[in-house]
């Protein structure tokens, strides 16, 4: 067995692209502040505005509606608020309806009080339950303010694609604001804020091969905007104060340019590798449950439960064999928590599931080695009823 490690946790963080690294290093050497009017400052302003154009292009949006943040979590906290403005007029949002499979960055509800949060259930296939959403919005009390709906385009644990355009059709007649967490979709699906019918998209640099610590809130227009979360010097047109993180923004832009190129071709290659891996897994253990296999998924993710193998034990076993994967989403404490996504899909979350997420740097040799480790781990597991 090779002693080198293989990285199969791209949904947690994708490897830094050489282009992004190069862009960060060049930006590190640039002197000045992008808000300064002198030549040095103007050069940095150009860098930030070019980056804005690159991120806008990735999202099918206008450059003027991209707000740089420290990541997707901050973007979510910026947009998930009852406190909006329509031009100069205050606009009240009464309730946030977020799907039960959202990432904690969204599920926590940003600046909404707990009592103003409602959960949209998902079906056992892990897809947002559209009739349930319709019912929730029909029952919404407009006296409290407009409804806001938050759904992710691609789930980070299962890779399942949500029917966002259909969701937009449901939200629109209720005058609702639609926020779409596109963190795991960027670079894996073609993105267009217009085609999705979303009012806001959330994207993150480190999920597409850029550095950690940069992300963006992307709006459809510039008229309806959330109250700022970070106030101060008025950068980002007053939507997000603080001197721009030009190094990370430069890397983010380089990654955004790559992520937007040839998505279809890249993902069909990645999808073929993932499908081969799943076929090998099923051949080694016919009882493996691959979550979301019957619905539309992005090609880079496989989320599975092996009966008799606890997710935590499985994660360690793969790690000892040199394969980095994860048990659901990365938890800040490093502990394996129960997956709220599995629970929302009606599975017993106690056993948990393991997530393999790959990308364009993954090779057939990596897949073969991962499949061999899977077969070894599956053969060693303790089956229910088997003595210790
Ligand atoms: N949304 C989704 C779907 C994610 O997968 C993640 C990261 O795991 C986030 C939001 C948070 O992103 P960031 O690390 O940029 O705050």
């Amino acid at each position: 067995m090779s002693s080198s490690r293989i990285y199969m946790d791209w949904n947690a963080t994708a490897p830094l692209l050489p282009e992004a690294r190069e862009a960060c290093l060049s930006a590190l050497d640039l002197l000045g502040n992008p808000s300064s009017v002198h030549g040095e400052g103007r050069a940095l302003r150009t860098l930030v505005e070019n980056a804005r154009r690159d991120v806008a292009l990735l999202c099918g949006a206008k450059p003027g509606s991209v707000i740089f943040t420290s990541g997707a979590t901050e973007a979510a906290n910026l947009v998930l608020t009852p406190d909006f403005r329509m031009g100069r007029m205050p606009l009240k949002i009464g309730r946030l309806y977020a799907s039960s499979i959202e990432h904690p960055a969204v599920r926590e509800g940003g600046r909404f009080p707990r009592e103003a949060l409602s959960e949209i259930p998902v079906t056992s296939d892990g897809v947002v339950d559209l009739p349930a959403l319709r019912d929730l919005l029909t029952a919404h009390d407009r006296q409290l303010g407009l409804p806001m709906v938050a759904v992710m385009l691609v789930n980070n644990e299962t890779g399942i694609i949500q029917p966002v355009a259909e969701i937009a059709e449901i939200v629109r007649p209720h005058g609702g604001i639609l926020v779409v967490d596109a963190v795991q979709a960027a670079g894996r699906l073609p993105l267009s804020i217009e085609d999705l019918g979303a009012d806001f998209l959330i994207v993150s640099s480190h999920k597409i091969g850029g550095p950690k610590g940069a992300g963006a809130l992307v709006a459809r227009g510039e008229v309806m905007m959330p109250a700022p979360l970070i106030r101060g010097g008025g950068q980002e047109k007053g939507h997000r104060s603080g001197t721009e993180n030009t190094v990370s923004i430069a890397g983010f832009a380089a990654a955004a340019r790559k992520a937007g190129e040839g998505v279809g071709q890249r993902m069909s290659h990645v999808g073929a590798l993932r499908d081969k891996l799943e076929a090998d897994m099923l051949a080694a253990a016919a009882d493996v449950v691959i979550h979301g296999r019957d619905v539309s998924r992005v090609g880079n993710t496989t989320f599975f439960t092996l009966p008799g193998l606890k997710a935590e034990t499985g994660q360690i076993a793969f790690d000892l064999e040199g394969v980095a994967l994860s048990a659901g989403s990365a938890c800040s404490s490093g502990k394996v928590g129960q997956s709220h996504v599995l629970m929302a899909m009606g599975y017993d979350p106690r056993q948990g599931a393991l997530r393999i997420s790959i990308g364009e740097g993954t090779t057939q040799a990596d897949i073969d080695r991962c499949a061999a480790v899977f077969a070894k781990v599956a053969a060693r597991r303790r089956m229910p009823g088997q003595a210790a």
Side-chain angles (χ1 to χ4, degrees):
M1 172 94 20
S2 154
S3 59
S4 64
R5 291 186 58 83
I6 52 175
Y7 185 74
M8 298 209 150
D9 202 11
W10 288 54
N11 289 8
T13 287
L16 188 69
L17 286 164
E19 293 85 347
R21 184 173 185 278
E22 194 50 49
C24 289
L25 291 175
S26 312
L28 259 179
D29 286 331
L30 293 178
L31 172 66
N33 183 316
S35 295
S36 299
V37 292
H38 46 61
E40 288 81 353
R42 288 201 309 278
L44 274 169
R45 172 57 48 205
T46 303
L47 179 153
V48 172
E49 296 316 316
N50 286 344
R52 206 183 301 286
R53 199 195 52 211
D54 290 330
V55 172
L57 205 61
L58 175 69
C59 300
K62 296 190 185 76
S65 37
V66 172
I67 305 167
F68 285 118
T69 62
S70 64
T73 302
E74 187 195 318
N77 278 271
L78 169 59
V79 73
L80 303 178
T81 173
D83 190 7
F84 258 69
R85 297 212 146 250
M86 180 72 107
R88 289 170 178 270
M89 300 286 289
L91 181 70
K92 178 117 182 74
I93 315 297
R95 181 163 276 281
L96 172 64
Y97 301 88
S99 92
S100 52
I101 54 166
E102 292 305 301
H103 186 277
V106 168
R107 237 175 133 230
E108 283 296 313
R111 291 178 277 168
F112 280 92
R114 288 253 162 233
E115 60 276 14
L117 305 181
S118 291
E119 224 171 54
I120 316 164
V122 297
T123 64
S124 55
D125 280 332
V127 179
V128 170
D129 184 335
L130 302 183
L133 170 62
R134 218 173 262 120
D135 291 347
L136 282 166
L137 293 182
T138 304
H140 176 79
D141 181 359
R142 282 284 284 265
Q143 305 263 338
L144 301 173
L146 296 176
M148 177 180 277
V149 173
V151 287
M152 60 205 329
L153 181 49
V154 170
N155 181 263
N156 48 304
E157 295 190 18
T158 60
I160 292 172
I161 302 169
Q162 300 300 322
V164 169
E166 278 178 76
I167 290 170
E169 293 286 314
I170 296 172
V171 173
R172 199 67 54 217
H174 293 274
I177 295 179
L178 179 58
V179 176
V180 175
D181 175 346
V183 165
Q184 297 288 349
R188 298 187 184 134
L189 292 177
L191 268 188
S192 158
I193 193 165
E194 289 290 335
D195 293 352
L196 288 169
D199 295 297
F200 294 93
L201 290 188
I202 294 169
V203 285
S204 175
S205 161
H206 72 110
K207 307 289 183 172
I208 59 168
K212 296 164 192 73
L217 177 67
V218 181
R220 184 129 67 119
E222 288 184 66
V223 180
M224 184 177 63
M225 294 302 284
L229 172 68
I230 300 178
R231 294 169 203 267
Q235 288 87 345
E236 299 294 284
K237 293 190 199 147
H239 299 303
R240 200 279 188 183
S241 288
T243 301
E244 295 87 342
N245 178 351
T246 48
V247 172
S248 288
I249 288 174
F252 182 18
R257 287 195 294 276
K258 286 291 282 185
E261 277 170 17
V263 181
Q265 206 180 4
R266 188 153 29 88
M267 287 319 287
S268 76
H269 168 71
V270 169
L273 289 175
R274 190 274 313 270
D275 292 349
K276 169 73 169 65
L277 175 63
E278 289 188 349
D280 289 350
M281 284 163 54
L282 283 160
D287 57 343
V288 64
V289 181
I290 297 172
H291 302 288
R293 199 148 181 261
D294 299 329
V295 287
S296 198
R297 282 182 298 162
V298 283
N300 82 316
T301 307
T302 184
F303 191 47
F304 64 94
T305 296
L306 250 179
L309 181 77
K310 279 201 153 196
E312 203 157 10
T313 316
Q315 189 178 18
I316 295 165
F318 273 91
D319 193 41
L320 289 174
E321 294 285 344
V323 179
L325 49 65
S326 91
S329 53
C331 169
S332 53
S333 64
K335 283 207 195 112
V336 177
Q338 291 193 349
S339 161
H340 70 280
V341 176
L342 275 188
M343 203 159 6
M345 290 166 69
Y347 287 95
D348 177 353
R350 278 172 303 183
Q351 184 179 350
L354 293 172
R355 179 186 68 190
I356 292 172
S357 52
I358 61 174
E360 53 275 21
T362 307
T363 62
Q364 184 60 57
D366 295 337
I367 294 293
D368 293 345
R369 193 167 139 211
C370 184
V373 171
F374 174 90
K376 197 165 160 184
V377 171
R380 275 204 315 241
R381 74 199 140 131
R382 186 174 305 137
M383 296 308 288
Q386 202 172 310

